[in-house]
Amino acid sequence: MIRHPKDMAPSLNVRRFGALVVLLTVVTSGYFAVSSLADPGGLVPGGDQAAPRTYAAYMAARSVVLLGGMVWLLARHAWRSLGLLLALNGAVQIGDAAIGAAHHQVPQTIGPLVFAVALLTAARLLTGRNPTRGRIRPTSR
């Protein structure tokens, strides 16, 4: 039996969970990217100086590319590729949590850890081989 790529699509619940994680990531990361550009001093002391403004612009540019990539892969139903991008974003969130922990900042540790768990869970589910329910599967004899 010839299998088509759509036969190996994740289940509807997995796709919905992945889409929800993408949506929440885009909204929250997008918010921080825009707010860091609009008012860098609101996020960190001394943020209104040239160096933090430049750094905020660099981070916003990277966010636009990564978040745009997530939205594009979701729209294209490229589930395995989206899973990889979610895993990479999960690794970034683990790094952010480590930075928050090193500075003894509880919210900056817990928030990224929650996102890391959601991102890595969605990544695992999307990249796993989960045939869509109700499809004909080859039988072994």
Side-chain angles (χ1 to χ4, degrees), residues 73-99:
L73 290 171
L74 179 63
R76 303 270 305 151
H77 300 169
W79 305 115
R80 291 179 67 82
S81 299
L82 178 61
L84 175 60
L85 191 52
L86 291 176
L88 292 172
N89 276 296
V92 169
Q93 291 297 320
I94 290 171
D96 289 347
I99 292 168

Side-chain angles (χ1 to χ4, degrees), residues 20-34 67 71 115:
L20 177 64
V21 170
V22 167
L23 175 67
L24 292 173
T25 302
V26 168
V27 168
T28 57
S29 294
Y31 168 78
F32 283 112
V34 170
L67 298 174
V71 170
F115 267 95

Side-chain angles (χ1 to χ4, degrees), residues 5-7 15 17 21 33 49 52 58-59 68 75 77 80 83 94 110-111 118 122 125 129 141:
K6 291 285 186 186
D7 292 341
R15 291 179 298 197
F17 178 69
V21 170
Q49 297 174 359
Y58 281 127
M59 293 308 294
H77 300 169
R80 291 179 67 82
I94 290 171
I110 294 175
L125 292 171
R129 293 206 175 256
R141 295 182 186 201

